[in-house]
mmCIF file of all heavy atoms in Angstrom:
data_model
loop_
_atom_site.group_PDB
_atom_site.id
_atom_site.type_symbol
_atom_site.label_atom_id
_atom_site.label_comp_id
_atom_site.label_asym_id
_atom_site.label_seq_id
_atom_site.Cartn_x
_atom_site.Cartn_y
_atom_site.Cartn_z
ATOM 1 N N GLU A 1 0.824 -1.214 0.000
ATOM 2 C CA GLU A 1 0.000 0.000 0.000
ATOM 3 C C GLU A 1 0.861 1.269 0.000
ATOM 4 O O GLU A 1 0.349 2.364 -0.211
ATOM 5 C CB GLU A 1 -0.915 -0.001 1.224
ATOM 6 C CG GLU A 1 -1.892 -1.162 1.231
ATOM 7 C CD GLU A 1 -2.593 -1.350 2.575
ATOM 8 O OE1 GLU A 1 -2.305 -0.594 3.530
ATOM 9 O OE2 GLU A 1 -3.422 -2.276 2.664
ATOM 10 N N LYS A 2 2.171 1.105 0.210
ATOM 11 C CA LYS A 2 3.047 2.259 0.369
ATOM 12 C C LYS A 2 4.085 2.424 -0.733
ATOM 13 O O LYS A 2 4.601 3.505 -0.927
ATOM 14 C CB LYS A 2 3.771 2.160 1.713
ATOM 15 C CG LYS A 2 2.823 2.145 2.892
ATOM 16 C CD LYS A 2 3.573 1.898 4.178
ATOM 17 C CE LYS A 2 2.562 1.808 5.321
ATOM 18 N NZ LYS A 2 3.150 1.278 6.525
ATOM 19 N N VAL A 3 4.419 1.329 -1.404
ATOM 20 C CA VAL A 3 5.513 1.408 -2.366
ATOM 21 C C VAL A 3 5.242 0.503 -3.569
ATOM 22 O O VAL A 3 4.699 -0.587 -3.434
ATOM 23 C CB VAL A 3 6.865 1.046 -1.689
ATOM 24 C CG1 VAL A 3 6.912 -0.398 -1.255
ATOM 25 C CG2 VAL A 3 8.040 1.399 -2.561
ATOM 26 N N LYS A 4 5.607 1.007 -4.734
ATOM 27 C CA LYS A 4 5.587 0.205 -5.961
ATOM 28 C C LYS A 4 6.993 -0.349 -6.163
ATOM 29 O O LYS A 4 7.961 0.184 -5.624
ATOM 30 C CB LYS A 4 5.209 1.079 -7.161
ATOM 31 C CG LYS A 4 3.815 1.643 -7.076
ATOM 32 C CD LYS A 4 3.558 2.590 -8.232
ATOM 33 C CE LYS A 4 2.199 3.254 -8.050
ATOM 34 N NZ LYS A 4 1.963 4.293 -9.037
ATOM 35 N N TRP A 5 7.091 -1.393 -6.964
ATOM 36 C CA TRP A 5 8.410 -1.959 -7.220
ATOM 37 C C TRP A 5 8.445 -2.668 -8.563
ATOM 38 O O TRP A 5 7.418 -2.932 -9.170
ATOM 39 C CB TRP A 5 8.829 -2.894 -6.086
ATOM 40 C CG TRP A 5 7.889 -4.023 -5.777
ATOM 41 C CD1 TRP A 5 6.735 -3.955 -5.043
ATOM 42 C CD2 TRP A 5 8.014 -5.385 -6.175
ATOM 43 N NE1 TRP A 5 6.148 -5.191 -4.959
ATOM 44 C CE2 TRP A 5 6.911 -6.087 -5.632
ATOM 45 C CE3 TRP A 5 8.956 -6.084 -6.927
ATOM 46 C CZ2 TRP A 5 6.733 -7.456 -5.835
ATOM 47 C CZ3 TRP A 5 8.781 -7.447 -7.120
ATOM 48 C CH2 TRP A 5 7.678 -8.112 -6.577
ATOM 49 N N ASP A 6 9.667 -2.884 -9.038
ATOM 50 C CA ASP A 6 9.851 -3.691 -10.238
ATOM 51 C C ASP A 6 11.094 -4.546 -10.060
ATOM 52 O O ASP A 6 11.879 -4.343 -9.134
ATOM 53 C CB ASP A 6 9.890 -2.843 -11.505
ATOM 54 C CG ASP A 6 11.061 -1.897 -11.605
ATOM 55 O OD1 ASP A 6 11.283 -1.097 -10.676
ATOM 56 O OD2 ASP A 6 11.743 -1.935 -12.633
ATOM 57 N N ALA A 7 11.237 -5.523 -10.937
ATOM 58 C CA ALA A 7 12.325 -6.483 -10.806
ATOM 59 C C ALA A 7 12.818 -6.922 -12.173
ATOM 60 O O ALA A 7 12.086 -6.873 -13.153
ATOM 61 C CB ALA A 7 11.853 -7.706 -10.013
ATOM 62 N N GLN A 8 14.064 -7.352 -12.194
ATOM 63 C CA GLN A 8 14.628 -7.930 -13.403
ATOM 64 C C GLN A 8 14.312 -9.424 -13.431
ATOM 65 O O GLN A 8 14.413 -10.093 -12.401
ATOM 66 C CB GLN A 8 16.154 -7.784 -13.407
ATOM 67 C CG GLN A 8 16.653 -6.390 -13.558
ATOM 68 C CD GLN A 8 18.170 -6.347 -13.448
ATOM 69 O OE1 GLN A 8 18.750 -6.933 -12.551
ATOM 70 N NE2 GLN A 8 18.796 -5.633 -14.356
ATOM 71 N N ILE A 9 13.952 -9.909 -14.597
ATOM 72 C CA ILE A 9 13.742 -11.345 -14.785
ATOM 73 C C ILE A 9 14.266 -11.707 -16.170
ATOM 74 O O ILE A 9 14.029 -10.983 -17.137
ATOM 75 C CB ILE A 9 12.250 -11.735 -14.668
ATOM 76 C CG1 ILE A 9 11.702 -11.395 -13.280
ATOM 77 C CG2 ILE A 9 12.067 -13.219 -14.958
ATOM 78 C CD1 ILE A 9 10.227 -11.708 -13.107
ATOM 79 N N ARG A 10 14.945 -12.811 -16.277
ATOM 80 C CA ARG A 10 15.385 -13.293 -17.591
ATOM 81 C C ARG A 10 14.199 -13.928 -18.305
ATOM 82 O O ARG A 10 13.437 -14.691 -17.697
ATOM 83 C CB ARG A 10 16.504 -14.313 -17.433
ATOM 84 C CG ARG A 10 17.808 -13.663 -16.995
ATOM 85 C CD ARG A 10 18.886 -14.687 -16.837
ATOM 86 N NE ARG A 10 18.699 -15.312 -15.536
ATOM 87 C CZ ARG A 10 19.490 -16.237 -15.034
ATOM 88 N NH1 ARG A 10 20.508 -16.675 -15.718
ATOM 89 N NH2 ARG A 10 19.254 -16.745 -13.847
ATOM 90 N N SER A 11 14.046 -13.652 -19.570
ATOM 91 C CA SER A 11 12.890 -14.159 -20.314
ATOM 92 C C SER A 11 12.835 -15.681 -20.305
ATOM 93 O O SER A 11 11.756 -16.269 -20.294
ATOM 94 C CB SER A 11 12.880 -13.631 -21.745
ATOM 95 O OG SER A 11 13.988 -14.115 -22.479
ATOM 96 N N SER A 12 13.975 -16.332 -20.259
ATOM 97 C CA SER A 12 13.994 -17.800 -20.286
ATOM 98 C C SER A 12 13.476 -18.424 -18.995
ATOM 99 O O SER A 12 13.196 -19.619 -18.960
ATOM 100 C CB SER A 12 15.419 -18.302 -20.554
ATOM 101 O OG SER A 12 16.302 -17.849 -19.540
ATOM 102 N N LEU A 13 13.314 -17.628 -17.944
ATOM 103 C CA LEU A 13 12.806 -18.157 -16.674
ATOM 104 C C LEU A 13 11.288 -18.113 -16.578
ATOM 105 O O LEU A 13 10.711 -18.695 -15.669
ATOM 106 C CB LEU A 13 13.399 -17.361 -15.502
ATOM 107 C CG LEU A 13 14.894 -17.490 -15.296
ATOM 108 C CD1 LEU A 13 15.354 -16.573 -14.161
ATOM 109 C CD2 LEU A 13 15.278 -18.938 -15.006
ATOM 110 N N ILE A 14 10.631 -17.414 -17.478
ATOM 111 C CA ILE A 14 9.186 -17.223 -17.390
ATOM 112 C C ILE A 14 8.476 -18.267 -18.241
ATOM 113 O O ILE A 14 8.705 -18.372 -19.444
ATOM 114 C CB ILE A 14 8.788 -15.800 -17.800
ATOM 115 C CG1 ILE A 14 9.451 -14.800 -16.859
ATOM 116 C CG2 ILE A 14 7.277 -15.637 -17.815
ATOM 117 C CD1 ILE A 14 9.276 -13.366 -17.248
ATOM 118 N N ARG A 15 7.611 -19.008 -17.591
ATOM 119 C CA ARG A 15 6.822 -20.050 -18.247
ATOM 120 C C ARG A 15 5.341 -19.740 -18.070
ATOM 121 O O ARG A 15 4.948 -18.957 -17.217
ATOM 122 C CB ARG A 15 7.122 -21.424 -17.620
ATOM 123 C CG ARG A 15 8.564 -21.852 -17.727
ATOM 124 C CD ARG A 15 8.852 -22.336 -19.138
ATOM 125 N NE ARG A 15 10.199 -22.837 -19.286
ATOM 126 C CZ ARG A 15 11.155 -22.202 -19.947
ATOM 127 N NH1 ARG A 15 10.923 -21.024 -20.479
ATOM 128 N NH2 ARG A 15 12.344 -22.738 -20.076
ATOM 129 N N GLU A 16 4.527 -20.396 -18.843
ATOM 130 C CA GLU A 16 3.068 -20.242 -18.751
ATOM 131 C C GLU A 16 2.580 -20.510 -17.326
ATOM 132 O O GLU A 16 1.723 -19.808 -16.808
ATOM 133 C CB GLU A 16 2.391 -21.194 -19.743
ATOM 134 C CG GLU A 16 0.898 -21.033 -19.836
ATOM 135 C CD GLU A 16 0.464 -19.728 -20.471
ATOM 136 O OE1 GLU A 16 1.153 -19.230 -21.371
ATOM 137 O OE2 GLU A 16 -0.574 -19.192 -20.025
ATOM 138 N N LYS A 17 3.165 -21.501 -16.681
ATOM 139 C CA LYS A 17 2.750 -21.871 -15.326
ATOM 140 C C LYS A 17 3.070 -20.794 -14.289
ATOM 141 O O LYS A 17 2.613 -20.873 -13.150
ATOM 142 C CB LYS A 17 3.392 -23.196 -14.917
ATOM 143 C CG LYS A 17 4.897 -23.121 -14.770
ATOM 144 C CD LYS A 17 5.495 -24.463 -14.420
ATOM 145 C CE LYS A 17 7.005 -24.346 -14.295
ATOM 146 N NZ LYS A 17 7.624 -25.601 -13.969
ATOM 147 N N ASP A 18 3.836 -19.779 -14.663
ATOM 148 C CA ASP A 18 4.199 -18.696 -13.748
ATOM 149 C C ASP A 18 3.183 -17.556 -13.730
ATOM 150 O O ASP A 18 3.370 -16.577 -13.000
ATOM 151 C CB ASP A 18 5.576 -18.133 -14.114
ATOM 152 C CG ASP A 18 6.667 -19.164 -13.967
ATOM 153 O OD1 ASP A 18 6.613 -19.946 -12.999
ATOM 154 O OD2 ASP A 18 7.575 -19.202 -14.828
ATOM 155 N N LEU A 19 2.121 -17.686 -14.485
ATOM 156 C CA LEU A 19 1.125 -16.614 -14.556
ATOM 157 C C LEU A 19 0.585 -16.259 -13.173
ATOM 158 O O LEU A 19 0.491 -15.081 -12.824
ATOM 159 C CB LEU A 19 -0.014 -16.990 -15.504
ATOM 160 C CG LEU A 19 -1.122 -15.950 -15.670
ATOM 161 C CD1 LEU A 19 -0.569 -14.623 -16.202
ATOM 162 C CD2 LEU A 19 -2.207 -16.479 -16.598
ATOM 163 N N ASP A 20 0.247 -17.250 -12.365
ATOM 164 C CA ASP A 20 -0.285 -16.965 -11.033
ATOM 165 C C ASP A 20 0.738 -16.249 -10.151
ATOM 166 O O ASP A 20 0.380 -15.347 -9.392
ATOM 167 C CB ASP A 20 -0.768 -18.240 -10.346
ATOM 168 C CG ASP A 20 -2.053 -18.770 -10.966
ATOM 169 O OD1 ASP A 20 -2.774 -17.992 -11.628
ATOM 170 O OD2 ASP A 20 -2.342 -19.971 -10.784
ATOM 171 N N LEU A 21 1.999 -16.633 -10.246
ATOM 172 C CA LEU A 21 3.034 -15.958 -9.458
ATOM 173 C C LEU A 21 3.205 -14.517 -9.925
ATOM 174 O O LEU A 21 3.342 -13.599 -9.105
ATOM 175 C CB LEU A 21 4.362 -16.715 -9.546
ATOM 176 C CG LEU A 21 5.541 -16.096 -8.791
ATOM 177 C CD1 LEU A 21 5.208 -15.833 -7.325
ATOM 178 C CD2 LEU A 21 6.773 -16.996 -8.923
ATOM 179 N N LEU A 22 3.165 -14.294 -11.211
ATOM 180 C CA LEU A 22 3.261 -12.922 -11.723
ATOM 181 C C LEU A 22 2.056 -12.092 -11.291
ATOM 182 O O LEU A 22 2.190 -10.908 -10.966
ATOM 183 C CB LEU A 22 3.407 -12.935 -13.243
ATOM 184 C CG LEU A 22 4.765 -13.450 -13.741
ATOM 185 C CD1 LEU A 22 4.686 -13.842 -15.208
ATOM 186 C CD2 LEU A 22 5.855 -12.426 -13.512
ATOM 187 N N LYS A 23 0.881 -12.710 -11.242
ATOM 188 C CA LYS A 23 -0.302 -12.003 -10.734
ATOM 189 C C LYS A 23 -0.146 -11.673 -9.253
ATOM 190 O O LYS A 23 -0.580 -10.612 -8.798
ATOM 191 C CB LYS A 23 -1.569 -12.829 -10.970
ATOM 192 C CG LYS A 23 -2.014 -12.849 -12.415
ATOM 193 C CD LYS A 23 -3.284 -13.681 -12.581
ATOM 194 C CE LYS A 23 -3.761 -13.684 -14.015
ATOM 195 N NZ LYS A 23 -4.991 -14.494 -14.184
ATOM 196 N N LEU A 24 0.462 -12.575 -8.495
ATOM 197 C CA LEU A 24 0.732 -12.298 -7.085
ATOM 198 C C LEU A 24 1.718 -11.139 -6.950
ATOM 199 O O LEU A 24 1.551 -10.278 -6.077
ATOM 200 C CB LEU A 24 1.278 -13.551 -6.393
ATOM 201 C CG LEU A 24 1.619 -13.392 -4.911
ATOM 202 C CD1 LEU A 24 0.364 -13.072 -4.089
ATOM 203 C CD2 LEU A 24 2.303 -14.654 -4.393
ATOM 204 N N MET A 25 2.711 -11.104 -7.812
ATOM 205 C CA MET A 25 3.642 -9.974 -7.815
ATOM 206 C C MET A 25 2.882 -8.671 -8.065
ATOM 207 O O MET A 25 3.122 -7.657 -7.410
ATOM 208 C CB MET A 25 4.737 -10.178 -8.864
ATOM 209 C CG MET A 25 5.716 -11.276 -8.507
ATOM 210 S SD MET A 25 6.869 -11.700 -9.849
ATOM 211 C CE MET A 25 7.792 -10.160 -10.004
ATOM 212 N N ARG A 26 1.958 -8.699 -9.003
ATOM 213 C CA ARG A 26 1.140 -7.510 -9.301
ATOM 214 C C ARG A 26 0.330 -7.108 -8.075
ATOM 215 O O ARG A 26 0.239 -5.931 -7.732
ATOM 216 C CB ARG A 26 0.227 -7.805 -10.493
ATOM 217 C CG ARG A 26 -0.777 -6.709 -10.839
ATOM 218 C CD ARG A 26 -0.059 -5.500 -11.427
ATOM 219 N NE ARG A 26 -0.971 -4.513 -11.944
ATOM 220 C CZ ARG A 26 -1.476 -3.504 -11.222
ATOM 221 N NH1 ARG A 26 -1.176 -3.361 -9.955
ATOM 222 N NH2 ARG A 26 -2.287 -2.634 -11.784
ATOM 223 N N LYS A 27 -0.248 -8.084 -7.394
ATOM 224 C CA LYS A 27 -1.028 -7.812 -6.179
ATOM 225 C C LYS A 27 -0.135 -7.191 -5.094
ATOM 226 O O LYS A 27 -0.593 -6.350 -4.316
ATOM 227 C CB LYS A 27 -1.671 -9.097 -5.675
ATOM 228 C CG LYS A 27 -2.583 -8.908 -4.490
ATOM 229 C CD LYS A 27 -3.259 -10.199 -4.091
ATOM 230 C CE LYS A 27 -4.148 -9.978 -2.874
ATOM 231 N NZ LYS A 27 -4.772 -11.228 -2.429
ATOM 232 N N ALA A 28 1.146 -7.593 -5.057
ATOM 233 C CA ALA A 28 2.104 -7.050 -4.094
ATOM 234 C C ALA A 28 2.638 -5.691 -4.546
ATOM 235 O O ALA A 28 3.549 -5.150 -3.945
ATOM 236 C CB ALA A 28 3.245 -8.032 -3.879
ATOM 237 N N ASN A 29 2.066 -5.139 -5.594
ATOM 238 C CA ASN A 29 2.348 -3.813 -6.149
ATOM 239 C C ASN A 29 3.595 -3.759 -7.023
ATOM 240 O O ASN A 29 4.166 -2.686 -7.223
ATOM 241 C CB ASN A 29 2.378 -2.721 -5.078
ATOM 242 C CG ASN A 29 1.798 -1.423 -5.607
ATOM 243 O OD1 ASN A 29 1.235 -1.363 -6.704
ATOM 244 N ND2 ASN A 29 1.929 -0.361 -4.828
ATOM 245 N N CYS A 30 4.023 -4.909 -7.545
ATOM 246 C CA CYS A 30 5.013 -4.894 -8.608
ATOM 247 C C CYS A 30 4.315 -4.319 -9.834
ATOM 248 O O CYS A 30 3.167 -4.667 -10.130
ATOM 249 C CB CYS A 30 5.517 -6.301 -8.905
ATOM 250 S SG CYS A 30 6.724 -6.379 -10.249
ATOM 251 N N ARG A 31 4.966 -3.437 -10.524
ATOM 252 C CA ARG A 31 4.342 -2.791 -11.667
ATOM 253 C C ARG A 31 5.046 -3.086 -12.980
ATOM 254 O O ARG A 31 4.480 -2.916 -14.042
ATOM 255 C CB ARG A 31 4.291 -1.266 -11.462
ATOM 256 C CG ARG A 31 3.323 -0.854 -10.374
ATOM 257 C CD ARG A 31 1.912 -1.198 -10.835
ATOM 258 N NE ARG A 31 0.905 -0.809 -9.877
ATOM 259 C CZ ARG A 31 0.216 -1.639 -9.127
ATOM 260 N NH1 ARG A 31 0.454 -2.925 -9.171
ATOM 261 N NH2 ARG A 31 -0.716 -1.212 -8.316
#
């Protein structure tokens, strides 16, 4: 509720099955 954030990720690490984790990151205010 207080801070936005972003992170580096290598494209080869992202799979279809990671969609829920990425959504959780969004909920945690990753933008």
Side-chain angles (χ1 to χ4, degrees):
E1 298 167 358
K2 299 174 183 167
V3 66
K4 296 175 186 173
W5 56 280
D6 65 306
Q8 291 176 313
I9 299 178
R10 288 180 279 182
S11 65
S12 60
L13 294 176
I14 299 173
R15 300 283 184 252
E16 186 69 34
K17 66 182 179 180
D18 297 321
L19 180 59
D20 288 339
L21 179 54
L22 289 162
K23 286 180 179 180
L24 179 64
M25 290 171 65
R26 174 70 172 90
K27 185 176 179 182
N29 216 8
C30 178
R31 291 294 182 252

